[in-house]
């Protein structure tokens, strides 16, 4: 159940050296991901995080600072603390700032991997703000027409407040598929669709073991979007960009210097909040009433399926791979399993 998973994750991160308040926040985040079915960003990440913490690649006592740089702009300095904790502090500062200024752009400068973006936009939307978020990640994607990787899977998310129920939560990587899905196909020795990835000649491949680069969504359009993410959440904050963004496993003894950016909008500065929320309900109702296409049960709004999954998992328990559970329940904290691995390397055995 969520409490048990939370407890196991928190204890493992504390064992690796993370302070308990930070470990608690990372556990909140990872349980959120798993409970919505976003298993690529849930408990599966703990052993990598634990190794990075144990090797000194995360600042354990980050000196954070919310620096207002103008009436509606700010930078949250994360000092390479653990990403989920840093971004949670940053969005908590960004929300009242945006309420005061009407619109706000807040960059988060220097942190480790930050997980699922919808976690942060959800908080803003629950406070009656529209929020767009984006962040950098490891260079694993070929630019359109290229045979070498340059950008990360650079995700984009947005959250919109609602009158009833949870906010609308859209959240996607700008690649056709997440790297975790290729790993999954590798472990099952199954082909992948030729739209997901390329080999080292830049040619689409169906062999998951030959993957040397992921493909952007919708060709040049996704490539353009991931470039925007890199400019706004990296270059704009003076951080490494493109292929210079640190790779997840390249050096686990140093901070990753990753960036994230929030654009927050208070609807009240543009329209009446109640009528805006009424319009959102109307649009959701209209979408729900659309006749489903053959093979579909209904039209969903972004984030809705995750919410439904969460309701089911809260009753039945969150499904976790046995190897992940065994690792979490063990005393193991690896210190040399991931360090120095190529981003496309086969994943090490968790309990080996
Ligand atoms: P996905 O492909 O599972 O979902 C993308 C979006 O489509 C979601 O908003 C989902 O609600 C929506 N959706 C899915 N099926 C739907 C349906 N039938 N009807 C309506 N909407 C539907 O997401 P993806 O691209 O696999 O990303 C997974 C997570 O990985 C995201 O949370 C993202 O933030 C995270 N991520 C984090 C990175 C980091 O470095 N921090 C890097 C890359 C991704």
């Amino acid at each position: 159940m969520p409490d048990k998973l939370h407890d196991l994750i928190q204890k493992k991160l504390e064992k690796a050296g993370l302070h308990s308040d930070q470990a608690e926040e990372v556990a909140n985040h990872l349980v959120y991901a798993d409970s919505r079915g976003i298993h690529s960003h849930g408990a599966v990440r703990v052993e990598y995080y634990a190794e990075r913490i144990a090797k000194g690649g995360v600042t354990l006592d980050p000196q954070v600072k919310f620096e207002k740089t103008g009436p509606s702009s700010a930078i949250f300095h994360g000092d390479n603390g653990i990403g989920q904790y840093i971004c949670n502090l940053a969005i908590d500062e960004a929300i009242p700032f945006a309420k005061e200024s009407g619109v706000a752009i807040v960059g988060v400068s220097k942190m480790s991997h930050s997980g699922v973006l919808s976690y942060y936009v959800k908080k803003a939307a629950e406070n009656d703000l529209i929020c767009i978020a984006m962040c950098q990640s490891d260079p694993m994607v070929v630019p359109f027409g290229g045979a070498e990787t340059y950008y990360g899977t650079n995700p984009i998310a947005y959250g919109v407040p609602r009158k009833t129920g949870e906010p609308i939560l859209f959240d996607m990587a700008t690649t056709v598929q997440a790297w975790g899905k290729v790993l999954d196909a590798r472990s099952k020795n199954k082909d992948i669709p030729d739209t997901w990835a390329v080999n080292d000649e830049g040619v689409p491949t169906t062999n998951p073991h030959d993957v040397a680069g992921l493909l952007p969504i919708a060709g040049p359009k996704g490539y353009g979007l991931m470039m925007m993410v890199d400019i706004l959440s990296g270059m704009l904050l003076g951080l490494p960009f493109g292929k210079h963004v640190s790779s997840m496993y390249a050096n686990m003894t140093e901070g990753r210097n990753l960036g994230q950016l929030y654009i927050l909008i208070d609807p009240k500065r543009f329209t009446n909040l109640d009528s805006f929320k009424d319009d959102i309900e109307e649009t959701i109702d209209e979408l729900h009433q659309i006749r489903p296409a053959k093979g579909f049960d209904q039209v969903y709004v972004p984030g809705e399926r995750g919410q439904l999954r969460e309701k089911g998992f809260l009753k039945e328990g969150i499904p976790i791979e046995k190897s992940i559970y065994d690792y979490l329940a063990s005393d193991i904290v690896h210190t040399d399993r991931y360090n120095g691995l190529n981003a496309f390397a086969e994943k090490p055995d968790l309990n080996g």
Side-chain angles (χ1 to χ4, degrees):
M1 294 305 277
D3 290 350
K4 183 167 182 198
L5 182 61
H6 187 282
D7 193 44
L8 286 171
I9 294 173
Q10 179 164 353
K11 287 211 170 90
K12 181 68 79 181
L13 294 172
E14 286 175 6
K15 190 171 171 58
L18 204 61
H19 294 312
S20 69
D21 57 333
Q22 300 183 31
E24 185 181 357
E25 182 48 39
V26 180
N28 290 343
H29 187 111
L30 300 185
V31 170
Y32 165 88
D34 273 322
S35 68
R36 302 223 158 195
I38 314 167
H39 298 300
S40 56
H41 287 72
V44 69
R45 301 277 173 155
V46 176
E47 23 94 61
Y48 156 69
Y49 291 161
E51 180 167 331
R52 176 168 279 284
I53 294 161
K55 289 189 79 69
V58 168
T59 310
L60 296 180
D61 293 296
Q63 303 303 301
V64 301
K65 187 174 156 207
F66 185 67
E67 182 195 357
K68 291 182 188 171
T69 57
S72 57
S73 56
I75 300 176
F76 188 89
H77 298 274
D79 193 21
N80 278 318
I82 193 135
Q84 287 89 346
Y85 172 75
I86 294 299
C87 289
N88 197 50
L89 292 177
I91 197 76
D92 282 350
E93 292 275 7
I95 290 166
F97 183 52
K99 292 258 181 185
E100 196 186 306
S101 55
V103 290
I105 300 189
V106 176
V108 189
S109 175
K110 297 191 179 173
M111 56 171 178
S112 64
H113 185 252
S114 58
V116 165
L117 288 183
S118 66
Y119 188 85
Y120 313 111
V121 299
K122 179 170 180 281
K123 276 194 133 181
E126 284 169 349
N127 280 279
D128 283 342
L129 294 167
I130 298 168
C131 181
I132 302 170
M134 60 196 80
C135 78
Q136 298 177 298
S137 71
D138 320 32
M140 293 184 79
V141 187
V142 290
F144 184 68
E148 289 168 21
T149 57
Y150 190 80
Y151 284 124
T153 53
N154 298 3
I156 303 175
Y158 66 78
V160 182
R162 281 188 65 182
K163 187 162 256 173
T164 57
E166 228 188 49
I168 297 173
L169 295 176
F170 176 79
D171 187 12
M172 65 155 201
T174 47
T175 42
V176 178
Q177 273 303 351
W179 172 236
K181 301 264 173 61
V182 179
L183 280 177
D184 190 45
R186 272 187 184 178
S187 67
K188 294 175 180 147
N189 257 325
K190 277 173 64 176
D191 281 357
I192 55 170
D194 65 2
T195 49
W196 288 13
V198 293
N199 62 20
D200 64 3
E201 290 174 343
V203 175
T205 181
T206 56
N207 181 349
H209 300 279
D210 272 354
V211 169
L214 298 172
L215 282 165
I217 50 170
K221 302 176 188 178
Y223 160 51
L225 278 179
M226 61 181 58
M227 182 177 196
M228 176 196 76
V229 170
D230 190 59
I231 292 170
L232 292 182
S233 63
M235 219 180 268
L236 187 67
L237 306 175
L239 296 174
F241 55 88
K243 68 177 184 179
H244 311 288
V245 172
S246 62
S247 184
M248 185 102 63
Y249 312 127
N251 183 348
M252 308 249 296
T253 61
E254 282 179 9
R256 290 202 60 201
N257 294 319
L258 295 173
Q260 187 152 146
L261 188 97
Y262 305 122
I263 300 170
L264 300 114
I265 302 164
D266 184 349
K268 287 207 295 285
R269 306 297 181 119
F270 298 87
T271 184
N272 176 283
L273 182 62
D274 274 338
S275 61
F276 173 76
K277 285 184 170 179
D278 285 341
D279 288 351
I280 293 287
E281 291 311 313
E282 191 176 331
T283 207
I284 291 172
D285 285 346
E286 287 171 358
L287 287 165
H288 281 162
Q289 281 164 24
I290 300 263
R291 185 164 46 90
K294 206 173 168 195
F296 290 81
D297 59 343
Q298 71 158 84
V299 171
Y300 294 93
V301 291
E304 193 174 6
R305 282 156 51 97
Q307 291 160 27
L308 293 171
R309 250 180 240 126
E310 185 177 73
K311 278 189 190 143
F313 289 164
L314 287 179
K315 273 196 217 135
E316 296 149 22
I318 301 171
I320 298 294
E321 293 283 332
K322 185 172 182 312
S323 59
I324 296 172
Y325 177 82
D326 289 346
Y327 165 77
L328 290 176
S330 75
D331 276 340
I332 300 170
V333 172
H334 298 304
T335 51
D336 217 11
R337 303 290 294 167
Y338 284 87
N339 195 30
L341 282 183
N342 177 297
F344 294 99
E346 302 281 338
K347 202 162 170 281
D349 171 16
L350 283 178
N351 298 297

